[in-house]
Amino acid sequence: MSDKPVIFVLNGPNLNLLGLREPEIYGSDTLDDIAGKLEDRAQELGVDVEVRQSNHEGHLIDWIHEAQGDNAKAILLNAAGFTHTSVALHDAIKAVSVPVIEVHLSNPHAREAFRHKSYVGEAAKGTISGFGAFSYLLALDAAMQL
Ligand code: DQA
């Protein structure tokens, strides 16, 4: 195991379909493409990234707890649809001292009203949204400033 600081990058439901899923909204990069870009940038920054995806809310919660146990420097969290519904994710973010940066490819505030509420954003350190795959890279740079 490397002794570099680690940043968890957690992705929620349907993000395994990136590249195929509504590309006019989410772009043509797959999650693997985004992970590759994050790994390249992380190497330049001297950190490790641990990129994961799950369609299950409980996995995301367990991984937030794991990030705390592993003393992660930060968590970049794209909770996808759970962003707008999950009190449990809000509570998990509040329960750990690892700073969480909310990430979205699209800008939820410019979309349907049901996306304007973010339980994640109300607990997160900050939010980066609307820049497509680049949102993740901006969030990684932001995490390095914390
Ligand atoms: C998303 C925005 C959410 O509203 C949506 O449910 C997603 C993706 C984004 O990255 O733009 O699944 O989190």
Side-chain angles (χ1 to χ4, degrees):
M1 210 178 116
S2 119
D3 54 4
K4 291 183 200 163
V6 65
I7 294 179
F8 278 47
V9 183
L10 305 182
N11 294 280
N14 303 305
L15 294 174
N16 54 313
L17 299 180
L18 278 183
L20 298 172
R21 173 190 181 207
E22 299 181 276
E24 65 288 358
I25 297 175
Y26 299 117
S28 56
D29 280 340
T30 65
L31 192 56
D32 278 351
D33 294 335
I34 293 173
K37 290 178 190 190
L38 282 167
E39 279 154 16
D40 289 348
R41 181 70 185 136
Q43 199 167 10
E44 288 169 8
L45 294 168
V47 293
D48 284 330
V49 282
E50 177 69 31
V51 183
R52 299 184 190 172
Q53 188 276 332
S54 177
N55 294 323
H56 304 278
E57 192 175 10
H59 290 163
L60 297 169
I61 292 167
D62 289 344
W63 292 340
I64 290 170
H65 299 172
E66 185 183 328
Q68 171 89 352
D70 287 359
N71 202 18
K73 185 173 170 59
I75 300 168
L76 314 187
L77 175 61
N78 185 350
F82 293 142
T83 303
H84 317 297
T85 61
S86 181
V87 174
L89 268 174
H90 174 103
D91 288 346
I93 296 166
K94 292 272 201 174
V96 298
S97 56
V98 182
V100 173
I101 300 177
E102 179 187 26
V103 180
H104 299 287
L105 296 135
S106 66
N107 174 1
H109 294 287
R111 300 180 62 194
E112 304 95 322
F114 65 82
R115 297 184 201 277
H116 298 177
K117 167 86 180 169
S118 174
Y119 288 94
V120 167
E122 286 172 30
K125 180 86 183 160
T127 299
I128 298 179
S129 66
F131 299 96
F134 195 54
S135 290
Y136 285 85
L137 296 169
L138 290 168
L140 181 56
D141 278 11
M144 297 303 294
Q145 300 303 318
L146 294 173

